[in-house]
Amino acid sequence: MEAPELAPIRRAFGPAALAPLLRANGIDASILVQCRSSIEETEEFLRVAAATPFVVGVVGWADLTDSAVDETLARLRGLPGGDGLVGIRHQVHDESDPDWLLREDVQRGLTAVFAQGLTYDLLVRTRELPAAIATAQAFPQARFVLDHAAKPPISEGFSREWADLLAALAACGNVWCKISGLATEANWDDWDAERLLPFVAHAAECFGEDRLIFGSDWPVCLLAGSYGAIKGALDECLTKLGPQVRDKAFGTNARRAYRLP
């Protein structure tokens, strides 16, 4: 039985639903990020990107443990819309092994990702941050984006363990931090910008103004609030940290992290 609280996102979402939200919130472009461990989904997303001017990049999925992952990535790059593939992601926090990223076959797969000039998105929680740190250190010339600031346990309060590990990851200068998905780590019906600010501020202190990236996490964010509510809260937090922090997080930094035009 599906959890009733997930009902708001148990439907299909497409560019036609996102376009008016972008216009209403002053957002010019968006990156489409994988939801499932599925090559077919990645292929679909590339087709969407090819047909949708405001989708300027796709972070897709490929099986890093597959010995032929380099061939898979080359094939994806050659598909219609394949030039929009900017990164790869896997739900690492769903793996039973907290050191999954450090497996020999995964590290070989990451080598293939970086050989294609792609970024790797780190989808981890506090438990997997040590492996993420070791991985970023193992590939100093590669580019990583940490999704959702490693999902701090906001509903439980400020975590010193999360904070210290985030600082250690930020010490790797090749990692950007996406400020996204925070409202859904808080109590869905009891959060605001003030509640999120300590976590955004810590990420900013660690990564600096040049390595923070705004992310809406739409449509998953609908579990906690509308696109506008999420964007407004993060806008407020980032602006409090300085207008230059806010401005870079809403564009410049993403272009650098994903090598966008």
Side-chain angles (χ1 to χ4, degrees):
M1 181 179 296
E2 294 184 353
E5 62 270 20
L6 299 181
I9 60 172
R10 293 298 188 193
R11 60 184 178 87
F13 294 87
L18 180 58
L21 301 178
L22 298 182
R23 289 194 298 270
N25 288 280
I27 302 294
D28 299 320
S30 182
I31 295 174
L32 190 55
V33 181
Q34 68 93 217
C35 303
R36 296 181 289 114
S37 299
S38 165
I39 285 291
E40 290 75 21
E41 179 191 75
T42 301
E43 292 169 348
E44 178 187 356
F45 283 4
L46 293 175
R47 289 193 294 270
V48 169
T52 311
F54 64 75
V55 176
V56 295
V58 170
V59 175
W61 180 87
D63 184 358
L64 297 182
T65 68
D66 181 2
S67 61
V69 65
D70 52 343
E71 298 172 16
T72 298
L73 294 172
R75 184 182 66 80
L76 290 171
R77 299 297 294 274
L79 293 175
D83 56 350
L85 186 67
V86 297
I88 294 296
R89 184 176 87 161
H90 178 74
Q91 277 91 339
V92 174
H93 60 38
D94 289 339
E95 295 290 341
S96 59
D97 180 5
D99 290 329
W100 184 86
L101 281 166
L102 301 180
R103 285 172 38 167
E104 183 178 352
D105 53 356
V106 174
Q107 295 270 303
R108 185 181 62 244
L110 288 171
T111 298
V113 169
F114 301 133
Q116 287 284 341
L118 300 171
T119 300
Y120 186 74
D121 271 34
L122 292 161
L123 185 52
V124 299
R125 296 185 186 271
T126 303
R127 184 191 72 145
E128 298 85 28
L129 275 173
I133 293 164
T135 298
Q137 292 170 341
F139 296 95
Q141 303 306 314
R143 289 167 289 114
F144 296 86
V145 172
L146 176 66
D147 287 346
H148 313 322
K151 296 192 172 185
I154 298 174
S155 62
E156 301 171 13
F158 195 87
S159 165
R160 191 71 255 166
E161 181 185 12
W162 166 81
D164 290 346
L165 287 170
L166 195 78
L169 181 61
C172 305
N174 57 338
V175 184
W176 283 256
C177 180
K178 194 182 296 183
I179 303 299
S180 60
L182 299 184
T184 46
E185 296 304 315
N187 293 316
W188 294 353
D189 58 355
D190 183 23
W191 68 271
D192 55 19
E194 184 178 355
R195 197 76 55 88
L196 303 184
L197 181 58
F199 302 91
V200 177
H202 181 67
E205 180 181 358
C206 293
F207 287 89
E209 65 185 58
D210 292 322
R211 289 190 288 145
L212 291 181
I213 298 172
F214 161 77
S216 68
D217 199 30
W218 182 89
V220 177
C221 72
L222 297 176
L223 296 171
S226 67
Y227 188 108
I230 298 297
K231 192 261 185 181
L234 294 180
D235 201 338
E236 181 179 337
C237 290
L238 291 165
T239 299
K240 284 182 178 179
L241 300 175
Q244 74 284 358
V245 176
R246 185 262 179 210
D247 292 346
K248 290 181 178 181
F250 275 93
T252 304
N253 295 343
R255 286 197 293 269
R256 289 182 55 234
Y258 292 110
R259 291 186 177 172
L260 299 171

